[in-house]
Amino acid sequence: YTRRPDLSRVGMNANVTINDQNGWNGNGAINVPILEDKFAVRLAGVVTQGRGSNVRDLVNTSQPRDRTEGIRASAKADPFDGLLELDATYQNVHRKTLQFDQAQSVNQLISGATASPVTVTARSRRGVVGLARTNDQEFTTYDAQAKLHIAGQTLTYLYGKSEQHLQAF
């Protein structure tokens, strides 16, 4: 469930969070009634960046990273005082990552096993393959709803469309 535009009040919010794993998140929204009690728009966005699982590779010096950007634009209209209600939303989320698969030396799992040249513990958060796992994901959705209230009944029309793009290695 997402917050819908408010037809009568201007409003906004913003929030920033920083963590001790080189990550941060910023998000915010603004609501503006264009025609009071008749038409309003709301814009919301988010940006999150960090090191994902924070697994570093022993061979590949690339730093793991994870970045997500999202935007949502919503519009709401009530042009005839409750007779016809219209809502529409556009949303786009784009995420790009570069991650490594975590490894652990066999002698850390099986007692008496031969030690590897470099001991890798679960706590060290290391990979040993050298190849990064990359993802580029984008999701776009369009939603609309129209409600006609007449003779004590409500006729509702719903529309939705979703587009997805995924590249992974």
Side-chain angles (χ1 to χ4, degrees):
Y1 177 77
T2 60
R3 186 173 291 187
R4 308 301 310 146
D6 186 315
L7 293 172
S8 60
R9 287 186 286 183
V10 173
M12 66 180 68
N13 69 301
N15 184 42
V16 175
T17 305
I18 300 171
N19 67 34
D20 62 356
Q21 298 294 313
N22 295 311
W24 61 274
N25 172 289
N27 61 70
I30 185 167
N31 184 87
V32 180
I34 306 298
L35 295 170
E36 189 172 356
D37 297 326
K38 299 292 181 195
F39 180 68
V41 295
R42 185 172 197 278
L43 298 174
V46 63
V47 177
T48 299
Q49 185 168 302
R51 288 194 183 158
S53 64
N54 205 26
V55 173
R56 299 172 325 275
D57 196 81
L58 291 172
V59 178
N60 190 328
T61 59
S62 298
Q63 289 290 323
R65 59 186 175 271
D66 188 334
R67 181 173 175 93
T68 302
E69 300 171 347
I71 188 163
R72 181 183 311 118
S74 304
K76 183 174 185 173
D78 184 4
F80 306 112
D81 298 323
L83 178 66
L84 178 65
E85 297 175 46
L86 304 168
D87 281 292
T89 302
Y90 163 84
Q91 181 170 287
N92 179 273
V93 177
H94 189 198
R95 181 175 185 226
K96 291 181 86 169
T97 66
L98 184 144
Q99 303 293 323
F100 296 99
D101 293 328
Q102 187 170 352
Q104 187 173 0
S105 297
V106 71
N107 68 335
Q108 298 294 299
L109 298 170
I110 302 170
S111 75
T114 304
S116 55
V118 175
T119 299
V120 178
T121 65
R123 180 170 238 160
S124 66
R125 305 198 62 74
R126 296 299 237 169
V128 296
V129 176
L131 289 175
R133 180 186 304 267
T134 60
N135 286 296
D136 186 348
Q137 303 169 304
E138 186 169 11
F139 303 95
T140 304
T141 57
Y142 307 85
D143 296 298
Q145 175 177 284
K147 288 184 179 181
L148 178 63
H149 305 282
I150 192 162
Q153 302 295 312
T154 301
L155 177 64
T156 303
Y157 173 80
L158 299 172
Y159 169 82
K161 180 181 176 182
S162 178
E163 298 173 350
Q164 300 176 28
H165 166 78
L166 173 61
Q167 272 187 307
F169 173 76

